[in-house]
Amino acid sequence: MKHVLAFCLLAISFRLSSAIKLPQNPDPQPLKWWQSDIIYQIYPRSHQDSDGDGVGDLKGIESRLDHFVELGIGSVWISPIYQSPMKDFGYDISNFTNIEPTFGTLDDFRSLSDAMKERGLKLIMDFVPNHSSDMHAWFNKSIHSEGKYKDYYVWKDPKGYDAEGNPIPPANWVNHFGGSSFEWNEIRQQFYLHQFVKEQPDLNYENPEVMKEMLAAMKFWLDAGVDGFRMDAVQTLFEDQRFLDEPVNPDRPANSIPSDHKYWKHIYTINQPKVIDALVEFRKLIDIYTLADGKERCMMTEAYLDTLEELLPYYGTKENPAAHFPFNFDLIVYANGSSGATTFANIIDEWYLKKPEGATVNWLVGNHDNFRIGSRYGEDAIDKMNMLIMLLPGSVVTYYGEEIGMVDNVISWEDTVDPWGCNAGPDRYSLFSRDPERCPMQWSAEDNAGFSTANKTWLPVHPNHKQLNVEAQKNTTGESHLKVYKRLSDLRKTEAWQFGGLEAKTTNDGEIYGYSRIFNNQGFLFLGSFSNQTVTVNATQEFEGIPSTATVYTTNVGFEPETAIGSSISTSSIVVGAKHSIIVAF
Ligand code: GLC
Ligand code: MG
């Protein structure tokens, strides 16, 4: 999650030069949709508001579907749209099989789903297995120890009582958003566990009834025709039943304090062995549907873990598959705007070298929990990062707005709504708040960027929407992030991308990171500069199989030296301006 583990950078960036080669696929089979399609993440509160309440909704999304079709985006993951008191903006669910009224109704959902199917778009639901809202009917029944609901949540007696007679929490566990993971319940006279905010009580996966209940909820959506799930925060599904105190994290961020999640090493609350078994169970259900009608469904999992070795088991095994792919957050966690080409190269190499045979790697550089590309790697890196992740072998995720290069908005303490920011208080909220990257989509130069007609939107629209918006980037006669993005999307559909080999390396003393993708002598070469100076790359010498001339396929917006798209250049001396990037095709 946010700001995590930058201190582990060392672990990955010790290698000074880097290169990897993967052969072209000798036996090309059509890729599955979740391997080839761009997966586009919608944060529904911020996508499009249709009823003027300042919050996005399902009808709004439906009205914008052509945006995806125009960009060649094949699948859409929507962050939670279930009934929710919105303490964590939808990740606190009070009914897993109904739609939050702010977003619409089940009929609106069906209409959206039909409209997507008509356009050939896949729909991925965000599924939140670890917790419900404290307003879920199950939780109320559990408080009152009613029948089978008694152990639906993780209830625990106090460790003892302090001098004033206050109950002492069973362990020192700290939740993700700051403060104790235990909340006292007066009625039940016990603590309950919450690994996120206190209004998100953890479901008890030690109780098989809970698993049944969640599978039934997934079934509901599979029957409604969804194509897959993004499984939220699965690393927190189980806790060590001894409820022992967790130790201080030796690698904690320098500015962390004991109420911060990252202050502690979560050996008893994160990534417990049974997590994988649960994922296998979820996957089995999904595969039943795929087998029944031959239509591929997909399960992607979210877990921020310390090492790749810990994450790889989330793929499961051949006999017992788990995730189709676990999200790969390494480019977010281990790289930032001051990282050099070698850091990127090493992260990328490591995945291809260590991934299980036949497994699909996933690439992403942003989401609703992390700062935006332009704000994290620098605005001059927006096109370069999109190029870098979209053309590597593997699945790819785009966070809404990254196709036009939206940047984080500055949000005052008064406007802060994210519980993580709110919990941290006015002095520290900006270290944690996820509001800056969740602001409304910038569709046009109109008021509220065409997102809403409300007087006030739930988070402020970025003031730069007057210039930076979809309409402007579509209609300009010049270059734009959107036009670059569309070209990348087109390139993913070529044989070179689908079946091509990969040769990836740093060149020019680690100033350039580049890779070629070639299938039967046709393909393309990407070069991204991490240098502060103009450099000249001798691509014919550095990479195998590059012809002496190639066509400029795309560059970043404002590429230097000025080079026309479609022009022919000599590949033995490709000049790339500071921090710029180029793709040539042959
Ligand atoms: C995941 C989500 C995050 C949410 C948390 C609790 O990490 O991405 O937004 O707050 O889970 O559900
Ligand atoms: Mg849990």
Side-chain angles (χ1 to χ4, degrees), residues 116-387:
M116 289 181 71
K117 283 199 169 55
E118 269 165 36
R119 291 168 176 77
L121 295 166
K122 300 284 191 290
L123 170 54
I124 301 171
M125 291 291 266
D126 206 319
F127 198 77
V128 186
N130 180 63
H131 42 264
S132 73
S133 159
D134 62 342
M135 292 292 123
H136 198 294
W138 298 338
F139 191 62
N140 190 43
K141 291 180 180 165
S142 197
I143 288 176
H144 294 95
S145 300
E146 249 180 59
K148 69 168 185 175
Y149 300 99
K150 180 165 181 271
D151 296 321
Y152 262 39
Y153 295 86
V154 183
W155 293 101
K156 204 67 194 150
D157 287 332
K159 205 180 205 170
Y161 293 84
D162 66 15
E164 279 97 58
N166 301 312
I168 302 170
N172 69 347
W173 299 353
V174 162
N175 77 67
H176 282 75
F177 297 145
S180 174
S181 301
F182 293 100
E183 181 73 12
W184 178 250
N185 184 271
E186 275 300 332
I187 300 170
R188 179 136 167 174
Q189 288 288 302
Q190 275 188 314
F191 284 98
Y192 67 85
L193 175 78
H194 58 94
Q195 293 226 43
F196 295 88
V197 289
K198 68 175 192 318
E199 294 87 355
Q200 290 168 304
D202 265 53
L203 286 156
N204 176 19
Y205 277 81
E206 301 293 337
N207 178 354
E209 289 299 318
V210 166
M211 178 53 100
K212 276 193 215 154
E213 202 80 74
M214 297 319 265
L215 290 171
M218 287 170 72
K219 213 169 164 303
F220 177 88
W221 296 105
L222 286 162
D223 289 337
V226 307
D227 299 286
F229 297 100
R230 174 263 189 194
M231 306 296 280
D232 180 80
V234 291
Q235 79 282 5
T236 55
L237 288 179
F238 289 90
E239 295 77 30
D240 188 299
Q241 292 301 297
R242 292 169 298 170
F243 290 82
L244 301 173
D245 283 353
E246 291 188 320
V248 168
N249 178 3
D251 300 320
R252 64 193 177 278
N255 59 359
S256 66
I257 59 176
S259 57
D260 293 346
H261 191 251
K262 280 287 143 199
Y263 189 89
W264 304 95
K265 192 145 180 70
H266 299 284
I267 54 175
Y268 299 130
T269 53
I270 298 283
N271 196 29
Q272 300 300 299
K274 286 195 244 176
V275 166
I276 311 293
D277 304 337
L279 297 183
V280 169
E281 287 275 299
F282 294 138
R283 171 69 182 264
K284 271 188 195 146
L285 175 68
I286 288 166
D287 284 354
I288 286 173
Y289 277 76
T290 297
L291 279 172
D293 62 8
K295 289 193 197 122
E296 190 74 16
R297 273 91 170 171
C298 145
M299 177 172 104
M300 43 199 202
T301 55
E302 185 220 25
Y304 291 81
L305 303 177
D306 288 349
T307 64
L308 185 51
E309 282 68 22
E310 288 170 275
L311 189 60
L312 292 177
Y314 283 54
Y315 281 106
T317 60
K318 279 223 163 61
E319 300 72 43
N320 287 308
H324 286 87
F325 56 85
F327 282 150
N328 167 7
F329 297 116
D330 287 355
L331 294 175
I332 293 180
V333 172
Y334 298 114
N336 57 39
S338 44
S339 306
T342 311
T343 301
F344 286 91
N346 285 340
I347 292 169
I348 292 163
D349 289 2
E350 209 197 5
W351 268 89
Y352 291 117
L353 293 171
K354 293 187 178 165
K355 78 174 179 78
E357 207 197 312
T360 301
V361 175
N362 157 256
W363 299 107
L364 60 83
V365 282
N367 59 30
H368 64 299
D369 295 326
N370 290 282
F371 293 139
R372 285 184 173 279
I373 297 179
S375 305
R376 195 145 28 83
Y377 305 102
E379 289 185 42
D380 54 2
I382 290 170
D383 296 321
K384 181 170 66 194
M385 293 308 295
N386 278 337
M387 289 181 197

Side-chain angles (χ1 to χ4, degrees), residues 42 86 109 113 115 152 158 179 194 209 261 268 271 275 278 283 303 402 429 466 484 508:
I42 288 182
M86 294 287 158
F109 173 82
S113 163
Y152 262 39
H194 58 94
E209 289 299 318
H261 191 251
Y268 299 130
N271 196 29
V275 166
R283 171 69 182 264
E402 295 295 10
Y429 78 96
K466 293 278 173 216
V484 173
N508 299 67

Side-chain angles (χ1 to χ4, degrees), residues 405-517:
M406 279 172 61
V407 293
D408 291 346
N409 203 354
V410 178
I411 311 286
S412 66
W413 166 247
E414 288 68 35
D415 282 342
T416 294
V417 292
D418 178 25
W420 202 351
C422 294
N423 276 357
D427 297 332
R428 297 179 82 233
Y429 78 96
S430 60
L431 285 177
F432 303 101
S433 174
R434 299 166 293 177
D435 295 332
E437 65 263 23
R438 295 177 173 181
C439 290
M441 178 67 181
Q442 297 169 204
W443 295 105
S444 69
E446 290 166 84
D447 288 347
N448 290 337
F451 160 72
S452 170
T453 55
N455 292 330
K456 195 172 187 313
T457 54
W458 81 285
L459 279 172
V461 176
H462 199 297
N464 73 4
H465 75 271
K466 293 278 173 216
Q467 303 79 42
L468 198 158
N469 60 68
V470 172
E471 220 169 79
Q473 294 198 14
K474 214 164 31 177
N475 298 336
T476 177
T477 50
E479 280 295 296
S480 68
H481 297 306
L482 191 76
K483 290 186 183 181
V484 173
Y485 186 90
K486 169 72 166 92
R487 290 184 199 121
L488 301 175
S489 165
D490 289 345
L491 207 45
R492 276 182 79 86
K493 299 184 170 74
T494 62
E495 288 194 326
W497 183 80
Q498 296 179 63
F499 312 122
L502 170 77
E503 181 179 2
K505 64 194 295 195
T506 58
T507 71
N508 299 67
D509 295 323
E511 305 251 66
I512 295 277
Y513 176 66
Y515 60 80
S516 66
R517 303 289 319 277

